[in-house]
């Protein structure tokens, strides 16, 4: 919907990636401890020799997290709260229906920010408003990857705004990756075979095969 509105209103579209996003968010007040393995602990001691006294007998080390880390249950929420606060400070309002969409009205222009973890799609008719937002985010988070132009890669999709007042959305790269990953051969008019509704007895998949099956299913559902 955001892309179609951007096309209809001839908005500029900019996609942004915020480097090391989670590490910008402080951990919650609840103490979170993590054990570093021997290799990581040895590297840390080499960098900070004074930490040697904290090594355990097996060479590992227990550390307390100060920043949100990928893999922690609460990290995504902590990062969202951090980014949300930054956008609110920059004058943006969170959409009441979709909390990953933020808007700001500047005169006759509206700037819209669509958030997916650390990937942002920003649309606005006035480039100066987008530039002001990017300046504010850079001041806060330092390292941004910014992509401008008429064609964008965002969330596995290609968004093509080349034709005025239109947007074309494709996933050719994503599809090609799936076909190559699973060595797909041949074509079919429909994924439904003639025995689609027949119940068949079969052995349960082992853990490895089950993981592959779930991965394939989720990739197809996303497509």
């Amino acid at each position: 919907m955001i892309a179609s509105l951007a096309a209809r209103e001839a908005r500029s579209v900019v996609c942004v990636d915020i480097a090391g996003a989670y590490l910008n968010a402080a951990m919650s007040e609840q103490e979170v401890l993590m054990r570093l393995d021997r290799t990581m602990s040895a590297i840390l001691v080499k960098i900070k020799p004074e930490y040697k006294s904290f090594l355990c007998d097996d060479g590992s080390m227990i550390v307390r997290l100060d920043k949100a880390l990928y893999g922690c249950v609460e990290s995504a929420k902590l990062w969202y709260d951090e980014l949300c606060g930054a956008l609110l400070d920059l004058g943006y309002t969170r959409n009441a229906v979709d909390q990953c969409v933020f808007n700001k009205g500047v005169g006759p222009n509206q700037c819209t920010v669509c958030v997916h973890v650390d990937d942002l799609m920003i649309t606005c008719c006035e480039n100066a408003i987008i530039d002001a937002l990017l300046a504010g985010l850079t001041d806060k988070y330092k390292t941004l990857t910014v992509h401008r132009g008429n064609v964008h890669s965002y969330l596995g999709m290609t968004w093509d705004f080349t034709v005025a007042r239109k947007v074309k959305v494709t996933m050719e790269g994503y599809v090609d990756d799936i076909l190559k990953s699973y060595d797909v051969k041949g074509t079919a008019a429909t994924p439904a075979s003639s025995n689609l509704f027949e119940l068949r007895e079969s052995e349960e998949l082992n853990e490895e095969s089950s993981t592959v099956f779930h991965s394939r299913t989720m990739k197809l559902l996303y497509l």
Side-chain angles (χ1 to χ4, degrees):
M1 289 176 66
I2 290 170
S4 64
L5 285 170
R8 189 179 72 178
E9 298 178 1
R11 296 188 181 195
S12 294
V13 178
V14 174
C15 287
V16 176
D17 176 79
I18 301 175
Y22 281 18
L23 297 179
N24 290 292
M27 283 300 292
S28 58
E29 294 181 0
Q30 182 178 353
E31 189 175 65
V32 178
L33 303 179
M34 179 175 70
R35 182 186 295 276
L36 301 181
D37 62 23
R38 295 182 61 180
T39 302
M40 290 298 297
S41 298
I43 293 172
L44 182 58
V45 169
K46 189 173 183 178
I47 297 171
K48 295 281 189 178
E50 61 269 28
Y51 289 176
K52 186 175 182 179
S53 61
F54 296 105
L55 285 173
C56 300
D57 292 339
D58 61 0
S60 65
M61 185 185 298
I62 305 296
V63 298
R64 180 173 62 84
L65 297 183
D66 290 330
K67 298 290 185 178
L69 197 68
Y70 284 95
C72 293
V73 173
E74 63 267 59
S75 293
K77 179 60 164 58
L78 292 172
W79 161 243
Y80 170 79
D81 290 342
E82 161 64 31
L83 179 59
C84 178
L87 290 172
L88 293 176
D89 288 343
L90 290 168
Y92 285 77
T93 301
R94 181 166 47 186
N95 187 291
V97 177
D98 188 334
Q99 296 192 4
C100 287
V101 176
F102 296 79
N103 291 295
K104 181 179 182 179
V106 182
N109 296 296
Q110 182 192 62
C111 185
T112 299
V113 182
C114 179
V115 176
H116 185 272
V117 191
D118 56 355
D119 292 316
L120 281 57
M121 178 183 279
I122 305 167
T123 72
C124 187
C125 292
E126 187 61 56
N127 284 311
I129 299 174
I130 296 178
D131 292 339
L133 171 59
L134 295 177
L137 292 174
T138 300
D139 185 57
K140 178 80 172 176
Y141 301 118
K142 309 308 178 190
T143 306
L144 307 181
T145 301
V146 179
H147 184 267
R148 301 174 185 268
N150 293 323
V151 181
H152 298 271
S153 177
Y154 187 69
L155 309 186
M157 292 168 272
T158 299
W159 306 75
D160 189 339
F161 296 89
T162 303
V163 179
R165 307 285 178 172
K166 292 186 178 182
V167 58
K168 179 182 179 182
V169 185
T170 58
M171 297 184 74
E172 293 179 5
Y174 186 86
V175 171
D176 288 342
D177 286 344
I178 291 177
L179 295 177
K180 290 176 182 177
S181 296
Y182 300 122
D183 195 28
V184 177
K185 303 294 184 184
T187 60
T190 170
S193 57
S194 58
N195 60 355
L196 177 64
F197 296 105
E198 293 179 11
L199 298 180
R200 302 182 301 280
E201 293 293 331
S202 60
E203 295 181 3
E204 286 191 9
L205 297 177
N206 59 36
E207 185 175 353
E208 181 180 357
S209 297
S210 178
T211 299
V212 172
F213 174 77
H214 288 144
S215 176
R216 291 189 185 193
T217 302
M218 293 308 297
K219 287 180 179 180
L220 292 173
L221 285 173
Y222 183 64
L223 175 63

